[in-house]
Amino acid sequence: MPALASFRDVLVLSVALRVGLIVYSEWHDAHSVVKYTDIDYRVFSDAARFLLNPGPQNRAQGSLKSLLGLDLTVGDPYTRETYRYTPLLALLLAPNEWLHPSFGKYLFAACDIFNGVLIYDLLVSFVLPRSAGVPENPTRVHLATIYSALYLLNPLVFTISTRGSSESVLSLFVLLTLYAALKGRWDAAAIALGLSTHWKIFPVIYGVSCLGVIGGSGNAKGWSGYLRTLVNLRTIRFAVLSSSTFFCLNAGCYLVWGYPFLYESYLYHLHRLDHRHNFSPYFYLIYLTYPSLGSMAPPDLPMWNRLLRSPLTSFAPQMVLALGTGLAFGRKKDDLVFAWFVQTVVFVVFNKVCTSQYFLWYLLLLPLLLPRLSISRRNAIAYVGVWVGTQALWLSEAYKLEFLGQDVFFGLWVRGLIYVVGNCWVLAGIMDGYMPSIL
């Protein structure tokens, strides 16, 4: 990357790129029927407005007011239909209402930048010094600049945040957890993991790999020794601190906003039936069995139909793979990035709903993993080609469904299966090319 002499150049370009896109988005949305801004951002903004402007039909339903005897007049962000996130997100975007409508976009873009800084710091101070063939500090700094630029200048990353998706906030919490873990600050890592899991439940999968590292399972002998490394005073401390953070945040939100918070943030996702087309091949099974007016009541449905609609159909294999890979590869601190990457990929690929935004969950970890991969140029090109190609193949068919109204559900499902097989092949190649820690 000769045009970028330093990490500072990357940061300046990254900031300018994001600010320019946010300013352009305001002009574009005012002059075009097809909006640049993501619909989710409008949902976030509406939820923040409801939170700041309580009314007769818009009040927080928690019991904190009656318990403390206070005149607590707080709006309910869940008055906005389809808002199914923590109320802390609506609170975070409150300045959208009284400062500027694009405040949230700038905040999400700032999280992108901070993520890039954390990635750079980890590369310089932790990842690259432990990679073979990087003895000189100038070389290490230059490589760290290139790897961090792969995240900061990734079009998928900066377009999603500038369109108003909040994924960069979650990525920040996850990266702070990893940062603390790699630095050996396990109490801070536990608290950050609890916060990440409150924000969105999926980071809970990283807990099992952290337990293996904390307990020193890389030195365990036999099953009994391995189990003792997973259950000891250090791992119990981590689990208690992390779960306490999670439950305290949830308890606080429940006391203020009541059952709507609990249902929309968590319970809804347990029985969610998303029949809209997405990368997951599960969507077609849900589409075929989706309940409609005049259909049989759930108790009268055939067993095969109820099985296809059951969340366990997708949840069980997904969690077995995500948690199993965490237990298998979470053995040493130097291998924690690899363990998290594999866990995240299998979680995303086998999730019952999968959109492009979910790819950010593992692309966040890729710059930290690349220095530890030994893959030929030919294989690297093949992996990138398959990863991009399977998405392009799916998108070409999804276009026919979304914009042309053609009945291509079956063809889209077949392409979803190709996407799963292709991504699994790429993951297998990455796992085969990984150079594990010898420390």
Side-chain angles (χ1 to χ4, degrees):
M1 194 176 293
L4 299 174
S6 68
F7 181 64
R8 181 180 178 181
D9 296 332
V10 175
L11 282 182
V12 170
L13 178 59
S14 301
V15 171
L17 187 62
R18 285 163 172 80
V19 171
L21 283 172
I22 294 172
V23 172
Y24 165 76
S25 72
E26 297 175 1
W27 179 89
H28 179 97
D29 290 351
H31 294 84
S32 176
V33 176
V34 180
K35 307 300 181 184
Y36 179 88
T37 300
D38 196 302
I39 185 62
D40 284 346
Y41 188 72
R42 304 183 188 279
V43 173
F44 304 156
S45 300
D46 289 345
R49 186 177 305 113
F50 280 118
L51 187 147
L52 293 176
N53 300 284
Q57 304 299 321
N58 172 41
R59 290 187 181 275
Q61 301 180 30
S63 57
L64 186 63
K65 179 178 179 179
S66 59
L67 289 175
L68 300 180
L70 299 176
D71 185 16
L72 186 65
T73 49
V74 179
D76 184 2
Y78 302 103
T79 303
R80 202 319 180 172
E81 294 183 4
T82 72
Y83 181 76
R84 298 189 173 97
Y85 309 87
T86 170
L88 300 184
L89 176 58
L91 188 62
L92 201 61
L93 266 62
N96 277 17
E97 186 71 4
W98 51 265
L99 183 60
H100 194 280
S102 293
F103 169 84
K105 293 182 181 179
Y106 287 105
L107 177 64
F108 300 153
C111 289
D112 266 351
I113 300 300
F114 193 38
N115 289 338
V117 172
L118 288 175
I119 290 172
Y120 176 82
D121 184 75
L122 281 175
L123 285 165
V124 170
S125 62
F126 185 85
V127 178
L128 287 173
R130 288 162 172 75
S131 300
V134 193
E136 298 179 3
N137 187 59
T139 303
R140 185 166 64 244
V141 170
H142 179 66
L143 286 176
T145 300
I146 294 175
Y147 288 129
S148 56
L150 292 177
Y151 175 82
L152 287 169
L153 301 180
N154 186 326
L156 187 63
V157 173
F158 62 69
T159 54
I160 284 180
S161 61
T162 56
R163 292 186 68 218
S165 169
S166 64
E167 293 298 334
S168 61
V169 181
L170 175 65
S171 296
L172 174 59
F173 294 150
V174 169
L175 203 55
L176 285 173
T177 306
L178 180 63
Y179 185 90
L182 294 181
K183 297 291 184 178
R185 302 167 185 168
W186 290 108
D187 286 352
I191 294 172
L193 181 60
L195 175 59
S196 303
T197 308
H198 166 79
W199 201 264
K200 190 167 286 187
I201 199 69
F202 101 88
V204 72
I205 64 176
Y206 301 141
V208 294
S209 50
C210 287
L211 294 180
V213 174
I214 295 170
S217 61
N219 302 317
K221 296 181 180 180
W223 280 105
S224 60
Y226 179 65
L227 290 176
R228 282 194 297 270
T229 62
L230 290 179
V231 184
N232 54 59
L233 290 178
R234 288 179 297 173
T235 58
I236 291 174
R237 177 188 176 93
F238 179 87
V240 169
L241 191 55
S242 181
S243 58
S244 296
T245 303
F246 173 75
F247 285 114
C248 284
L249 287 170
N250 285 347
C253 291
Y254 182 80
L255 285 174
V256 176
W257 288 282
Y259 183 75
F261 152 71
L262 187 62
Y263 177 79
E264 298 292 352
S265 297
Y266 298 106
L267 300 181
Y268 166 80
H269 298 280
L270 294 178
H271 61 80
R272 173 184 179 185
L273 293 176
D274 195 334
H275 66 292
R276 299 281 296 179
H277 58 281
N278 60 84
F279 285 98
S280 171
Y282 288 112
F283 98 88
Y284 189 56
L285 302 178
I286 297 174
Y287 170 77
L288 292 176
T289 59
Y290 195 76
S292 59
L293 292 176
S295 63
M296 291 182 291
D300 300 326
L301 289 174
M303 179 60 71
W304 69 270
N305 199 312
R306 279 183 283 172
L307 181 62
L308 291 178
R309 294 179 59 203
S310 172
L312 290 177
T313 302
S314 60
F315 183 76
Q318 176 193 34
M319 294 309 294
V320 167
L321 288 170
L323 297 179
T325 52
L327 290 171
F329 303 127
R331 312 294 291 274
K332 298 180 181 179
K333 189 167 63 174
D334 285 353
D335 298 326
L336 198 56
V337 172
F338 173 69
W340 282 27
F341 180 84
V342 175
Q343 285 184 276
T344 310
V345 172
V346 296
F347 185 92
V348 170
V349 170
F350 291 95
N351 198 31
K352 66 178 179 180
V353 179
C354 180
T355 66
S356 298
Q357 294 182 9
Y358 295 3
F359 300 158
L360 295 181
W361 296 352
Y362 57 78
L363 289 178
L364 176 73
L365 303 170
L366 190 58
L368 298 172
L369 179 64
L370 286 175
R372 298 286 295 276
L373 297 181
S374 177
I375 299 175
S376 67
R377 179 176 299 182
R378 177 180 179 182
N379 286 343
I381 294 174
Y383 297 152
V384 173
V386 169
W387 188 77
V388 174
T390 54
Q391 294 178 51
L393 183 68
W394 185 93
L395 288 169
S396 64
E397 195 75 353
Y399 173 82
K400 299 176 184 178
L401 175 63
E402 184 72 18
F403 294 99
L404 304 181
Q406 298 180 9
D407 184 4
V408 292
F409 282 98
F410 181 78
L412 199 59
W413 174 65
V414 172
R415 283 159 175 78
L417 295 176
I418 295 174
Y419 155 81
V420 171
V421 173
N423 276 256
C424 289
W425 180 75
V426 172
L427 178 60
I430 291 175
M431 294 171 66
D432 184 60
Y434 177 68
M435 297 181 292
S437 169
I438 58 176
L439 300 178

